[in-house]
Amino acid sequence: MTIKVGDRVPDGTLTEFIETETEGCQLGPNAFQVADLVKGKKIALFAVPGAFTPTCSAKHLPGFVAKADALRAKGIDEVWCVSVNDAFVMGAWGREQQTGSKVRMLADGAAAWTRALGLELDLTQRGMGVRSQRYSAIIDDGVVKTLNVEAPGKFEVSDADTLLSQA
């Protein structure tokens, strides 16, 4: 079953590559519980089929990096990029795209959370395995307020400008 507006996001574990060690977060991959991350926060979330892929790298992620401050000005606490990749790949992609503190690069390595959302995409025939559909959402205290799922192969409704207009 696919998640929809009004639903609470399922709990799950996402990992993030931490560049600078801080109290509670060591250098390297750190695991976080989604329920803890969304509690009391308004999240602008977008998901992509894969890090370093053409549309994701040229349009999707750069759009959210560029609009992160505008999203925060509308009450968004954090901007997340989620992909079915490992934390090392997401960390490298974030460095390459200069996401800094604008976008959290969160990995769903085994697609467990993506499957729980019902937003997986089977790209096995293309040699990529199970990935995420391309989508964006606003999650407010764990509840989906908006959800924009792309048709296969499209990039029309999950962009930063669309989500900014919905914030």
mmCIF file of all heavy atoms in Angstrom, residues 10 19 24 31 74 106 148:
data_model
loop_
_atom_site.group_PDB
_atom_site.id
_atom_site.type_symbol
_atom_site.label_atom_id
_atom_site.label_comp_id
_atom_site.label_asym_id
_atom_site.label_seq_id
_atom_site.Cartn_x
_atom_site.Cartn_y
_atom_site.Cartn_z
ATOM 1 N N PRO A 10 5.952 5.703 8.220
ATOM 2 C CA PRO A 10 6.397 4.583 9.044
ATOM 3 C C PRO A 10 7.764 4.872 9.656
ATOM 4 O O PRO A 10 8.540 5.653 9.097
ATOM 5 C CB PRO A 10 6.482 3.418 8.053
ATOM 6 C CG PRO A 10 6.714 4.076 6.726
ATOM 7 C CD PRO A 10 5.999 5.399 6.790
ATOM 8 N N GLU A 19 30.374 14.125 8.267
ATOM 9 C CA GLU A 19 31.702 14.612 7.883
ATOM 10 C C GLU A 19 32.520 15.091 9.077
ATOM 11 O O GLU A 19 33.733 14.989 9.084
ATOM 12 C CB GLU A 19 31.570 15.789 6.911
ATOM 13 C CG GLU A 19 30.907 15.434 5.599
ATOM 14 C CD GLU A 19 31.840 14.788 4.616
ATOM 15 O OE1 GLU A 19 33.067 14.824 4.793
ATOM 16 O OE2 GLU A 19 31.324 14.229 3.636
ATOM 17 N N GLY A 24 27.434 12.722 20.053
ATOM 18 C CA GLY A 24 26.324 11.878 19.618
ATOM 19 C C GLY A 24 26.397 11.435 18.168
ATOM 20 O O GLY A 24 25.633 10.582 17.749
ATOM 21 N N ALA A 31 23.327 5.902 11.996
ATOM 22 C CA ALA A 31 21.943 5.469 11.788
ATOM 23 C C ALA A 31 21.003 6.335 12.620
ATOM 24 O O ALA A 31 21.296 6.665 13.772
ATOM 25 C CB ALA A 31 21.796 4.001 12.182
ATOM 26 N N LYS A 74 9.767 29.467 4.890
ATOM 27 C CA LYS A 74 8.349 29.105 4.939
ATOM 28 C C LYS A 74 8.047 28.120 6.069
ATOM 29 O O LYS A 74 6.982 27.508 6.083
ATOM 30 C CB LYS A 74 7.909 28.521 3.598
ATOM 31 C CG LYS A 74 7.744 29.584 2.524
ATOM 32 C CD LYS A 74 6.983 29.001 1.359
ATOM 33 C CE LYS A 74 6.256 30.089 0.617
ATOM 34 N NZ LYS A 74 5.232 29.528 -0.262
ATOM 35 N N LEU A 106 20.293 11.400 3.106
ATOM 36 C CA LEU A 106 19.941 10.218 3.891
ATOM 37 C C LEU A 106 19.827 8.983 3.011
ATOM 38 O O LEU A 106 19.146 8.994 1.980
ATOM 39 C CB LEU A 106 18.630 10.475 4.635
ATOM 40 C CG LEU A 106 18.716 11.620 5.652
ATOM 41 C CD1 LEU A 106 17.326 12.015 6.139
ATOM 42 C CD2 LEU A 106 19.607 11.233 6.820
ATOM 43 N N ASN A 148 4.005 14.374 -3.849
ATOM 44 C CA ASN A 148 4.091 14.565 -5.295
ATOM 45 C C ASN A 148 4.921 13.425 -5.886
ATOM 46 O O ASN A 148 6.140 13.460 -5.811
ATOM 47 C CB ASN A 148 4.765 15.902 -5.603
ATOM 48 C CG ASN A 148 4.142 17.056 -4.838
ATOM 49 O OD1 ASN A 148 2.978 17.336 -4.986
ATOM 50 N ND2 ASN A 148 4.933 17.712 -3.998
#
